[in-house]
Amino acid sequence: LTTQCVSQGQVLFYSTFSCHPLHSQDPCMAGSRLVFSDSPCAQTVCRGYTDQSGQSCLYPNISHHGQCVDPADAASCGNILRRRLVPDLFGDYTCQCDREIGFVDFNGSCHAEFLQGPCQKGEQVVFGEEGVECVKNFCDEGEVVWSDGNCYPYNSVSKLPFRDYFNSEENKSLASYNYTLSDVVTTFNGCVATFTNCCNTDSRGKCLKQVDLPKVAELKAEDWLRLITEQFPDIIW
């Protein structure tokens, strides 16, 4: 049953012998998440989080530096741009480049996957079988190869006014930091969007229009199985 769950990209919850996504609240009680226990047996447990005073963090919040914070909130990592609180298999959260919003770690810095980043002209950053690397971009000028193998238009907006694209409350907090706008803002099909995918906001920062970006490739079942077997080598899967 454990192998069956892992083949589906999930983990087995031993108390009910049911499959669930790792780090999910279900089937745990309020405030807890399903994670692996710190043992070589690949057993899962429901882990709760508390702040420095011992107060339980309510889902979706977790504990970070003694405070209950939402791991999906960009402000949780302070001025570490392009990073989010990302959990390991055991539910410990650290600020890392977040693939779920399209960023990968390349030589110690976060870069938008599929864009040129630190690569040479005519190349783009991708997360391949050997890790993050620079590969040739075979698309026409102004386009990039996405995870589905197709070419999509991309236009650099580094010369556009900085203030025009940071109207949401989240982006206002980021706008005070020193970084290159072109690393964060892109245009797809004529719509300007930050990594929040919002290209038009009202005066209160509420998103009025979102752009549908090409999807970042999710972790495949075989990749998930390899990750688990590397962490628990003594288990026969």
Side-chain angles (χ1 to χ4, degrees), residues 79-98:
N79 62 350
I80 309 177
L81 181 70
R82 292 162 281 180
R83 295 180 185 264
R84 288 289 193 276
L85 282 170
V86 180
D88 61 14
L89 298 177
F90 309 102
D92 292 320
Y93 284 77
T94 55
C95 289
Q96 302 177 30
C97 306
D98 192 355

Side-chain angles (χ1 to χ4, degrees), residues 70-195:
D70 185 351
D73 186 356
S76 298
C77 285
N79 62 350
I80 309 177
L81 181 70
R82 292 162 281 180
R83 295 180 185 264
R84 288 289 193 276
L85 282 170
V86 180
D88 61 14
L89 298 177
F90 309 102
D92 292 320
Y93 284 77
T94 55
C95 289
Q96 302 177 30
C97 306
D98 192 355
R99 284 208 74 200
E100 289 190 3
I101 58 173
F103 291 108
V104 293
D105 191 320
F106 188 52
N107 293 334
S109 299
C110 296
H111 298 278
E113 189 175 12
F114 306 117
L115 302 187
Q116 178 179 337
C119 300
Q120 300 295 321
K121 184 176 181 180
E123 296 181 335
Q124 60 185 89
V125 177
V126 298
F127 192 96
E129 294 182 358
E130 302 299 325
V132 182
E133 57 186 345
C134 293
V135 300
K136 182 176 177 57
N137 177 9
F138 58 79
C139 296
D140 294 334
E141 186 175 355
E143 294 184 336
V144 292
V145 187
W146 212 257
S147 57
D148 57 7
N150 295 322
C151 296
Y152 290 88
Y154 165 78
N155 301 308
S156 174
V157 291
S158 58
K159 295 182 180 180
L160 294 177
F162 193 96
R163 61 182 178 277
D164 291 347
Y165 303 100
F166 289 87
N167 296 321
S168 72
E169 291 304 314
E170 174 183 352
N171 290 337
K172 281 179 181 178
S173 66
L174 294 175
S176 62
Y177 306 134
N178 182 23
Y179 59 97
T180 305
L181 179 60
S182 59
D183 286 343
V184 180
V185 186
T186 57
T187 60
F188 282 92
N189 300 324
C191 180
V192 177
T194 67
F195 53 67

Side-chain angles (χ1 to χ4, degrees), residues 7 39 57 97 122 135 149 194 206 225:
S7 67
S39 75
C57 298
C97 306
V135 300
T194 67
K206 181 179 180 180
L225 179 58

